Amino acid sequence: MNFQGSRRRGEDGITMAIDFLLSNARLVLGVGGAAMLGIATLVVKRLIERAGRAADDEKVEQKMAESWEELSLVSSSPTLIKKGIKGVVMKHVAKATRQQKADLCQQHQTLPLEVQPKPESKSKRLQLCVLSLQERLQQYYHTRAALAPHEVQRAQSLALDICTEIQGFLHSRHPDMPLGEMSLGGSLLDDLQVVSADHACLLVPLQLEASLWRLIPGEETLLTHPLHWMVRRVNLEYFPRGRSYWDRYLVGGYLSAESVMNMFSKAVMETINWPSISSTLDCQVRPVLGGPDLRVEIRPGSEGADSTDPPLFISMLPLLREEDVALTCQPELTSPWVNAWHLSLYPWETQRLTQLDSADDGCRRHTLKILKAVCKLNPALRALEAAPLANLILHLSDSESDWSEVSLDVRFQQCVTELIGYLEQGALHSYFKPAVNLLSSLSEDQVDQIGFMLYCAVSEPEILLI
């Protein structure tokens, strides 16, 4: 990189240099080293950008030189990177945290002259500026994690409108298809969605004849996977094929989830007159074709109109219910087995969390929403989905009884520590199905990124709440 001819002074030049290092780090340091270096330079970059707004060009260049000097001391070996970069990260994280607290103090101090407090109250004012972790968590929950009621109401209203349109279409075009009453489900309905109300789930229950079909638990099938159930056609000698509507989607004597999904894709996604629905609802409604699921995108306003509201994605989810068992049609989770149905543990997990919080007026759901927001807003933690976080809290609830609001900070830090332990073991077992490892989908690179960020947060938990 030609610093003589192309380097810009100040914040832009630093950003270019850091971006250049990140883009080439994988070639020099390898996958694990590049991941950890990316996290470290991200923290350093934020610190330098903040300093660049308050200092002149000479001070910015001096900070940049000091930062690169420290990073250049780290060896190219991934093992040594973990050890060497730790000190650099922790040093700059501490600086960034102190700077953020100082910025907060400055906001309190820049009041109009007529409302400036007396000099003797200065120490008290500074004490208020330095928020405790408990206060930071509450602030983060209300400003970043929790959704505004009007936002939730808007998303639910749009989802219900789409639900009514799809159900009316199926009843008119396929009156013989045995379906139950469609409804909303998922995190938006259960008050567990965070950051923004950007997705909803439309449950489409299939009605099966109890005498013709039997749900086979995953452990009893040849797949032996606890979450991969199968639906067998029974009593064929008394009720031959064709007696049930769903016989047309049999593959090898079992109801094929993939065939059912393909049917709904053609019958709904590719057939409904979406422009007409857009005109009726006064918004832009488009099917998202080519993906593994049945998804509709909704944008507020008419075609061509500018809107600042984020789009809402609604997923259609065909499912089978039998007592407390819910099997969902999600081939992307059961591939390559075309006949397998996915056992959803979400209803059990959500119900258990609600029961525990109701029994002791706890903050488990509160903690879960904070953890979900942290993972959603932090690129290094984005690979962590909601299921591992919910099961983490359920496991922790077996050993910890105090989940009151006043212990929120303690439980949050404990969740971080426990999650690091599970990552080191390479397994976080499902609370209801211990044979299922909820971390099995993470790659080694993702485990490195998540583990390193959480390790830094043990001593400086505030970095997760930036």
Side-chain angles (χ1 to χ4, degrees), residues 2-37:
N2 184 7
F3 282 92
Q4 299 298 327
S6 64
R7 185 185 65 177
R8 290 181 297 173
R9 298 170 63 87
E11 181 180 338
D12 293 339
I14 298 169
T15 302
M16 290 175 61
I18 292 178
D19 291 341
F20 176 81
L21 174 66
L22 290 176
S23 63
N24 293 274
R26 186 178 294 270
L27 299 176
V28 180
L29 306 178
V31 174
M36 289 179 288
L37 182 58

Side-chain angles (χ1 to χ4, degrees), residues 197-447:
D198 54 7
H199 63 279
C201 186
L202 173 58
L203 304 179
V204 185
L206 280 58
Q207 293 182 334
L208 301 180
E209 298 86 350
S211 60
L212 303 183
W213 302 93
R214 181 188 167 199
L215 308 187
I216 311 297
E219 295 88 345
E220 300 178 15
T221 67
L222 294 176
L223 306 181
T224 67
H225 193 295
L227 301 184
H228 294 174
W229 286 41
M230 300 182 76
V231 183
R232 179 189 296 164
R233 177 66 157 85
V234 297
N235 293 329
L236 283 170
E237 62 274 19
Y238 303 108
F239 304 98
R241 186 167 177 166
R243 293 292 295 271
S244 174
Y245 176 90
W246 304 107
D247 282 343
R248 64 193 72 183
Y249 305 109
L250 280 175
V251 175
Y254 294 89
L255 181 60
S256 171
E258 185 176 83
S259 298
V260 172
M261 178 65 74
N262 291 337
M263 179 272 293
F264 276 108
S265 179
K266 294 177 181 178
V268 177
M269 297 292 118
E270 301 176 12
T271 307
I272 287 184
N273 187 350
W274 296 110
S276 175
I277 295 179
S278 299
S279 176
T280 302
L281 301 181
D282 193 24
C283 58
Q284 306 170 47
V285 183
R286 303 187 185 94
V288 181
L289 302 176
D293 55 355
L294 307 173
R295 183 177 299 187
V296 175
E297 178 186 3
I298 303 178
R299 291 185 178 274
S302 58
E303 188 75 28
D306 295 331
S307 176
T308 57
D309 294 331
L312 173 67
F313 292 93
I314 300 176
S315 298
M316 281 185 61
L317 189 60
L319 80 158
L320 303 171
R321 284 198 182 105
E322 186 177 277
E323 296 180 353
D324 63 340
V325 172
L327 303 183
T328 60
C329 184
Q330 295 178 279
E332 69 274 15
L333 299 180
T334 56
S335 178
W337 318 111
V338 298
N339 290 348
W341 291 71
H342 177 71
L343 173 64
S344 176
L345 301 179
Y346 173 81
W348 300 352
E349 295 161 355
T350 305
Q351 183 180 14
R352 179 61 177 166
L353 286 172
T354 302
Q355 290 175 346
L356 291 172
D357 277 350
S358 299
D360 59 7
D361 196 22
C363 63
R364 295 170 185 83
R365 289 165 55 91
H366 194 153
T367 305
L368 175 59
K369 294 175 71 172
I370 293 176
L371 290 173
K372 288 177 64 175
V374 165
C375 293
K376 186 173 183 178
L377 296 174
N378 192 316
L381 304 178
R382 203 161 288 164
L384 272 177
E385 299 179 347
L389 301 176
N391 283 266
L392 168 69
I393 295 177
L394 288 175
H395 284 301
L396 193 56
S397 295
D398 288 342
S399 58
E400 298 293 342
S401 58
D402 183 12
W403 285 86
S404 60
E405 286 288 340
V406 295
S407 63
L408 176 62
D409 56 338
V410 178
R411 296 287 86 85
F412 178 81
Q413 289 179 296
Q414 197 169 5
C415 284
V416 172
T417 305
E418 291 289 320
L419 191 51
I420 292 175
Y422 287 124
L423 289 170
E424 290 176 349
Q425 298 172 14
L428 198 172
H429 298 288
S430 169
Y431 187 81
F432 292 100
K433 292 288 183 178
V436 177
N437 178 14
L438 299 174
L439 299 180
S440 60
S441 61
L442 296 178
S443 65
E444 184 178 348
D445 187 17
Q446 291 171 330
V447 171

